[in-house]
Amino acid sequence: MMLKLFAPFLLAAAAVVTPSAHADGYPAKPIRLVVPFPAGGPTDVFARAVSEKLGQRLGQTVIVDNKPGAGGAIGTDLAARAPADGYTLLLGTSSTHSVAPAFGMKLPYDTAKDFTPIVQVGDAPNLMLVPNDTPAKDVKEWIAYARKNPGKLNYASSGPGTVVQLTAEYLKAEAKVDLTHVAYKGTALAMPDLMSGKVHVLFDSMPTGLPHVQAGRLRALAVTSLKRSPLLPNLPAVSETLPGFESVVWFGLYGPKNLPPAVVTRVNAAVNEVLKDKDMQDRLARLGIQPAGGTPQQFATVVEQDRAKWKKIITEQKLTLE
């Protein structure tokens, strides 16, 4: 009789204790980190660097699983549909969670509702690159040069809907200059035309753009992070000429929606510790990435603000994916 009387309370207590107990033992097996881009690319290289150190912190192997396709949507969808147990995580980027929804792309998931933000891992600013024979020696002079030649200058991109294109359009809007878009299938294919002066400016990542600057083939006018990059402290930021200008590719860890808070806390703490590791910082520096870290709430705010910024640029500049 007494057992029957207390049964409902025992069941309720079990419902409360079970998730906590499960999270306390996390992780009890290897973790899959879904990377929605091809193996060998910058996101994949970054993921493998982080996964090794993260696995050491968590005491379990973190296995990188590349699921490319549809601009990152295939792998992102796979992660969204995974069980919310912490054993499938996603390395999301500006492309998957800011740019795609800002363009209003039809996606099989809701980037704001179908994921649990865990932690922002890093930021990768771009370099503003110009041909060596460009008359302008800094951003201010370049803007003046562009204003004196309305409609005569162009910018290269890695294709419509990319952060590379959006950064150039952001500059157009803030500097009030008239530039023509020339799309390529990747920034590497644009380099010969930039070096020869057929195109006049390109915003490219540090790992791929900096070697050309160091070899004397191109000139870097600025970096697109809000402040000067500690990786290139002598290079000015665009924001020193256009206050508030910032364009970075962020990388962050997500889980499916309803990920247990204790799991979020565990992974968040582990990543923040990894980012303090000197070897990790050196490895990220070689990739042109600045460590981020912080709380899940801070990460969610960064993504929301980034999405709103690109939505504004897309609307005002009347950009399409064609």
Side-chain angles (χ1 to χ4, degrees):
M1 183 68 179
M2 290 295 290
L3 184 60
K4 290 183 179 180
L5 183 62
F6 283 102
F9 299 98
L10 292 172
L11 289 172
V16 172
V17 172
T18 300
S20 176
H22 174 74
D24 287 343
Y26 174 86
K29 61 182 181 179
I31 298 167
R32 176 172 63 160
L33 177 59
V34 176
V35 175
F37 298 101
T43 305
D44 174 64
V45 174
F46 174 56
R48 292 179 189 278
V50 172
S51 65
E52 179 184 344
K53 294 288 186 179
L54 180 58
Q56 293 172 3
R57 286 282 174 181
L58 293 175
Q60 283 288 349
T61 303
V62 178
I63 302 168
V64 173
D65 187 8
N66 298 92
K67 297 293 182 183
I74 290 177
T76 304
D77 184 45
L78 184 152
R81 297 175 184 275
D85 56 9
Y87 291 101
T88 297
L89 303 178
L90 170 74
L91 183 65
T93 71
S94 301
S95 297
T96 60
H97 281 69
S98 291
V99 174
F103 264 108
M105 295 181 185
K106 293 182 179 180
L107 301 169
Y109 46 80
D110 186 316
T111 55
K113 296 179 180 179
D114 290 339
F115 299 89
T116 301
I118 299 175
V119 63
Q120 183 182 1
V121 186
D123 290 325
N126 284 330
L127 296 175
M128 182 178 179
L129 302 175
V130 298
N132 282 329
D133 61 0
T134 301
K137 297 297 188 290
D138 56 37
V139 176
K140 184 177 180 179
E141 289 184 1
W142 193 89
I143 291 173
Y145 171 61
R147 287 174 178 171
K148 289 179 182 178
N149 295 275
K152 296 181 181 180
L153 304 186
N154 55 40
Y155 73 86
S157 87
S158 49
T162 60
V163 174
V164 176
Q165 182 204 15
L166 292 180
T167 303
E169 291 291 338
Y170 185 17
L171 181 79
K172 283 176 57 177
E174 294 296 304
K176 297 179 174 57
V177 295
D178 183 11
L179 306 174
T180 301
H181 180 204
V182 181
Y184 294 80
K185 293 182 178 179
T187 57
L189 298 177
M191 286 300 180
D193 286 349
L194 183 65
M195 293 175 196
S196 68
K198 291 181 181 179
V199 291
H200 304 101
V201 65
L202 168 68
F203 290 92
D204 194 23
S205 66
M206 284 191 188
T208 55
L210 189 57
H212 294 294
V213 176
Q214 294 171 330
R217 293 186 289 266
L218 292 171
R219 183 189 306 157
L221 295 186
V223 66
T224 61
S225 46
L226 189 60
K227 298 179 180 180
R228 295 192 182 199
S229 169
L231 308 178
L232 294 170
N234 294 324
L235 186 67
V238 176
S239 64
E240 294 175 37
T241 301
L242 299 172
F245 188 99
E246 180 182 25
S247 175
V248 299
V249 174
W250 55 257
F251 302 88
L253 288 186
Y254 286 95
K257 65 180 179 180
N258 300 323
L259 196 64
V263 171
V264 175
T265 299
R266 179 88 168 90
V267 177
N268 177 277
V271 171
N272 276 291
E273 286 300 316
V274 165
L275 295 177
K276 295 176 184 177
D277 184 276
K278 182 62 168 61
D279 178 62
M280 187 74 249
Q281 293 174 355
D282 291 342
R283 293 173 71 175
L284 294 184
R286 290 194 291 271
L287 295 173
I289 295 172
Q290 300 170 194
T295 68
Q297 293 75 23
Q298 289 171 330
F299 177 33
T301 298
V302 166
V303 176
E304 183 179 351
Q305 293 175 343
D306 197 47
R307 186 186 302 124
K309 176 176 68 181
W310 294 135
K311 179 66 175 178
K312 182 174 182 288
I313 294 297
I314 290 165
T315 301
E316 290 180 350
Q317 301 297 100
K318 299 178 181 178
L319 303 180
T320 68
L321 295 172
E322 298 178 357

